[in-house]
Amino acid sequence: MKLILLGAPGAGKGTQAELIAQRLKIPAISTGNMLREAIKNNTEVGRHVKDAMDHGRLVSDELIIQIVKERVSQDDCREGYILDGVPRTIPQAEALDRAGIAFDDVISIEIEDPVIEKRMSGRRVCSGCGASYHLQSNPPKQEGVCDHCGKTLVTRPDDELETVRDRLRVFHAETEVLKHYYEKQGKLKLVDGNQSIADTHKAIMAAIGVEL
């Protein structure tokens, strides 16, 4: 089974991708991981990516698609895969189609902006060991202090409220239109992401026809 996960920043795509991967025994592939893997393996594409990143340039759509092609051609993807973070734009989706990279279903995790803002602005990470917390759903035992190493908890720049709102504006302008693109192909499945992680997972499994 070949899947794409769509959703706003903070919608839980990474978490759901891992749960689906465990259930279906297929790899969950994120853009960030693919970029790091290509650089680590020192592939030709990886060297181009490293050069772009070293010079502060955005990685081009062409390179992103090449990396996806490299990754999904590996043996562990024979039975399927889950893409998280690609495509982000219509041109990327069209490039995937041209490259012959097909999908069975495209899952869009639907979640309201105020819920996203609350989720992301409540996230904290340890300045020492990097452990993750959330002020509502997973608070530390002692406010502002990591349970594991005792270091101070901080808010990542990406989780600052104004940054979150900026990211949401970009998502609505550039990525949300992908829903219409895949709806026309008959592949789009909408799933309510305002519920718990477990219930969202159940809804995704039902949407793709997998019994739990």
Side-chain angles (χ1 to χ4, degrees), residues 125-130 133 140 142-154:
V125 295
C126 176
S127 57
C129 68
Y133 297 87
Q142 182 181 346
E143 185 177 348
V145 178
C146 179
D147 295 347
H148 306 290
C149 70
K151 298 284 187 179
T152 303
L153 301 184
V154 298

Side-chain angles (χ1 to χ4, degrees), residues 11 14 17 25 31 44 61 64 68 85 89 97 119 131 144 148 168 172 175 196 198 207:
K25 304 293 188 294
T31 309
E44 181 179 353
D61 286 353
I64 292 289
V68 173
T89 62
D97 287 345
R119 280 187 184 181
H148 306 290
L168 285 170
H172 291 308
T175 306
S196 69

Side-chain angles (χ1 to χ4, degrees), residues 11-28:
K13 298 186 298 297
T15 298
Q16 293 300 332
E18 290 300 328
L19 291 173
I20 299 166
Q22 292 169 18
R23 176 75 60 179
L24 301 182
K25 304 293 188 294
I26 57 177

Side-chain angles (χ1 to χ4, degrees), residues 53-178:
M53 295 174 74
D54 285 349
H55 290 86
R57 300 193 304 269
L58 290 175
V59 179
S60 70
D61 286 353
E62 182 181 353
L63 283 177
I64 292 289
I65 302 307
Q66 283 185 275
I67 288 170
V68 173
K69 285 188 70 172
E70 281 187 1
R71 182 64 185 88
V72 301
S73 67
Q74 294 176 16
D75 287 346
D76 65 337
C77 292
R78 283 182 180 174
E79 300 300 319
Y81 43 82
I82 307 151
L83 282 191
D84 166 19
V86 178
R88 289 186 185 275
T89 62
I90 295 293
Q92 284 186 0
E94 292 171 340
L96 287 173
D97 287 345
R98 287 195 299 272
I101 301 171
F103 301 93
D104 299 303
D105 290 305
V106 177
I107 306 298
S108 178
I109 302 175
E110 302 288 296
I111 190 162
E112 298 162 359
D113 284 5
V115 177
I116 293 284
E117 291 175 10
K118 186 175 181 179
R119 280 187 184 181
M120 296 184 74
S121 62
R123 295 199 299 201
R124 299 290 184 273
V125 295
C126 176
S127 57
C129 68
S132 297
Y133 297 87
H134 194 281
L135 299 184
Q136 279 78 45
S137 60
N138 181 34
K141 294 174 183 175
Q142 182 181 346
E143 185 177 348
V145 178
C146 179
D147 295 347
H148 306 290
C149 70
K151 298 284 187 179
T152 303
L153 301 184
V154 298
T155 302
R156 297 185 313 175
D158 273 1
D159 292 335
E160 297 285 354
L161 184 56
E162 278 311 307
T163 304
V164 171
R165 287 175 174 167
D166 285 341
R167 293 174 69 193
L168 285 170
R169 280 191 284 270
V170 171
F171 168 76
H172 291 308
E174 297 183 2
T175 306
E176 195 166 27
V177 293
L178 286 168

